Amino acid sequence: MGAYILRRLLLIIPTMFGIMAISFLVVQFAPGGPVERVIAQLQGTDVSATARITGGGGDFAGVEGNQEAAGGSDDSVTSRYRGAQGLDPEFILELEQQFGFDKPPLTRFGLMLWNYMRFDFGESYFRDIGVLELVAEKLPVSISLGLWMTLLSYAVSIPLGIRKAISDGSRFDIWTSAVIIVGYAIPGFLFAILLIILFAGGSFLDLFPLRGLVSENWDDLPWYGKILDYFWHLTLPLIAMALSAFATTTLLTKNSFLDEIRKQYVMTARAKGLNERQVLYRHVFRNAMLIIIAGFPGAFIGAFFAGALLIETIFSLDGLGLLGFESILNRDYPVVFATLYIFSLLGLVVSLISDLTYTWIDPRIDFETREV
């Protein structure tokens, strides 16, 4: 097992390098950038997610002052940026230096990798805050959504999947499968909009809040009031995110139990006189739940990221999904690349943990003989 873990850990290095290299290359050819965004703000034409520079005001104020004092001559430097005609070339060069674009792309990529290996992610271009501090500030919202959605999905899907396996082919199994498939086919963001229309003051009822994770008076509420207020705000986002997760976990549970029920050891247990309940929970349950329990870390990470961007945006939840959306629109590259690096590394580590969980639950599984 030690050799397998070592191989998987070593494989993380080229995988992360490939992810970051491809992403960096794509950004080089993408239109726009932080320099263009500052120019658009100075020209009054910025329509990005954040319509003004929020933070770092001292640096940009100095640059803007230099631009006002300059004559506004034209140059090949300004021709590299859309909308920069008439701006002072020294102003553009100062912007490039401030954002690090005065260095060749390979040099910038190498410096980024060196800093990221030391978990030095720098500061946001447009917020006066470090990237790690910014991620830590938004993390609780995304953790709340991912954790509760995973627990809710498992709490409903596992009993439902077991019941469907026991009554395979029955009327209950058929109509629940139809409901699950329909739910899986509906995109989460469309269902979120439907929930808003029905229950959040859209066109019908106004039962649930539409913004934030807690109310403005949350600090003044008693402890039980804080708990109720917290789940009151989470209800609609969780329902919207969990819709498709129910289908995956339920069908996985059903198929896993069906595979185990048809095996020889189950027939032997029945021949010994054990009733169906004893056979199910003493013999089948542990083996059937292996793949489901071992997949919990991966399911949590999937719930943590999948759909969070649109759900957080629709319900105005200030989490990592909304942060990533705004950072991409605003060309805040330190935040974009740092979150990509952190989440990719986390996903690879969790994938390894999932494999190790298999061996912890069932020692008969041996990854030493499996090729990576």
Side-chain angles (χ1 to χ4, degrees), residues 244-310:
S244 60
F246 282 127
T248 304
T249 311
T250 300
L251 296 180
L252 179 63
T253 303
K254 175 191 173 181
N255 293 332
S256 180
F257 271 80
L258 281 177
D259 288 342
E260 294 297 324
I261 289 173
R262 294 165 181 167
K263 290 184 177 179
Q264 183 63 41
Y265 75 89
V266 175
M267 298 176 61
T268 303
R270 286 171 178 164
K272 290 181 178 180
L274 297 179
N275 59 42
E276 288 299 317
R277 185 177 182 85
Q278 290 174 324
V279 171
L280 182 64
Y281 291 103
R282 288 186 183 180
H283 298 275
V284 175
F285 188 82
R286 178 183 177 183
N287 295 327
M289 289 298 294
L290 171 64
I291 189 173
I292 300 166
I293 296 176
F296 182 86
F300 171 68
I301 294 299
F304 193 71
F305 302 122
L309 189 154
L310 290 175

Side-chain angles (χ1 to χ4, degrees), residues 99-133:
F99 290 124
F101 294 153
D102 57 327
K103 303 179 180 66
L106 286 179
T107 302
R108 288 189 280 119
F109 181 67
L111 288 174
M112 181 181 71
L113 290 183
W114 170 245
N115 290 331
Y116 283 11
M117 285 190 295
R118 297 180 292 120
F119 290 93
D120 178 10
F121 301 106
E123 292 192 356
S124 166
Y125 282 160
F126 304 110
R127 296 178 173 93
D128 191 16
I129 185 174
V131 174
L132 278 180
E133 296 177 53

Side-chain angles (χ1 to χ4, degrees), residues 72-90:
S73 59
D74 198 3
D75 191 83
S76 61
V77 176
T78 60
S79 64
R80 294 202 300 262
Y81 298 101
R82 183 178 180 181
Q85 287 76 13
L87 296 178
D88 183 11
E90 293 184 2

Side-chain angles (χ1 to χ4, degrees), residues 284-339:
V284 175
F285 188 82
R286 178 183 177 183
N287 295 327
M289 289 298 294
L290 171 64
I291 189 173
I292 300 166
I293 296 176
F296 182 86
F300 171 68
I301 294 299
F304 193 71
F305 302 122
L309 189 154
L310 290 175
I311 297 299
E312 289 182 9
T313 303
I314 291 172
F315 289 99
S316 299
L317 298 174
D318 196 11
L320 294 176
L322 186 59
L323 173 65
F325 175 72
E326 292 182 345
S327 299
I328 292 172
L329 290 184
N330 295 336
R331 304 299 192 270
D332 198 347
Y333 293 151
V335 178
V336 173
F337 284 121
T339 52

Side-chain angles (χ1 to χ4, degrees), residues 61-256:
V63 173
E64 187 173 350
N66 291 339
Q67 163 59 16
E68 292 176 354
S73 59
D74 198 3
D75 191 83
S76 61
V77 176
T78 60
S79 64
R80 294 202 300 262
Y81 298 101
R82 183 178 180 181
Q85 287 76 13
L87 296 178
D88 183 11
E90 293 184 2
F91 166 70
I92 303 299
L93 291 173
E94 189 172 348
L95 278 180
E96 289 182 336
Q97 184 177 8
Q98 185 167 337
F99 290 124
F101 294 153
D102 57 327
K103 303 179 180 66
L106 286 179
T107 302
R108 288 189 280 119
F109 181 67
L111 288 174
M112 181 181 71
L113 290 183
W114 170 245
N115 290 331
Y116 283 11
M117 285 190 295
R118 297 180 292 120
F119 290 93
D120 178 10
F121 301 106
E123 292 192 356
S124 166
Y125 282 160
F126 304 110
R127 296 178 173 93
D128 191 16
I129 185 174
V131 174
L132 278 180
E133 296 177 53
L134 189 60
V135 170
E137 179 184 315
K138 312 296 183 182
L139 198 58
V141 174
S142 296
I143 288 181
S144 295
L145 289 174
L147 179 61
W148 289 115
M149 199 214 79
T150 306
L151 294 177
L152 178 64
S153 172
Y154 271 59
V156 175
S157 299
I158 291 176
L160 180 59
I162 295 174
R163 173 69 186 280
K164 286 173 64 62
I166 296 173
S167 57
D168 183 42
S170 66
R171 182 177 299 178
F172 173 82
D173 180 44
I174 294 173
W175 75 260
T176 52
S177 295
V179 172
I180 288 171
I181 292 172
V182 171
Y184 184 76
I186 300 175
F189 71 93
L190 286 181
F191 192 64
I193 296 173
L194 176 63
L195 292 175
I196 291 173
I197 294 173
L198 295 177
F199 303 111
S203 300
F204 296 91
L205 303 176
D206 189 6
L207 301 178
F208 295 95
L210 189 56
R211 180 179 297 274
L213 195 60
V214 294
S215 300
E216 294 181 359
N217 63 334
W218 191 79
D219 292 331
D220 300 327
L221 297 173
W223 65 269
Y224 58 87
K226 291 180 179 180
I227 295 175
L228 292 175
D229 182 77
Y230 171 74
F231 284 105
W232 183 45
H233 284 75
L234 273 180
T235 300
L236 295 187
L238 284 180
I239 294 175
M241 290 183 65
L243 184 65
S244 60
F246 282 127
T248 304
T249 311
T250 300
L251 296 180
L252 179 63
T253 303
K254 175 191 173 181
N255 293 332
S256 180

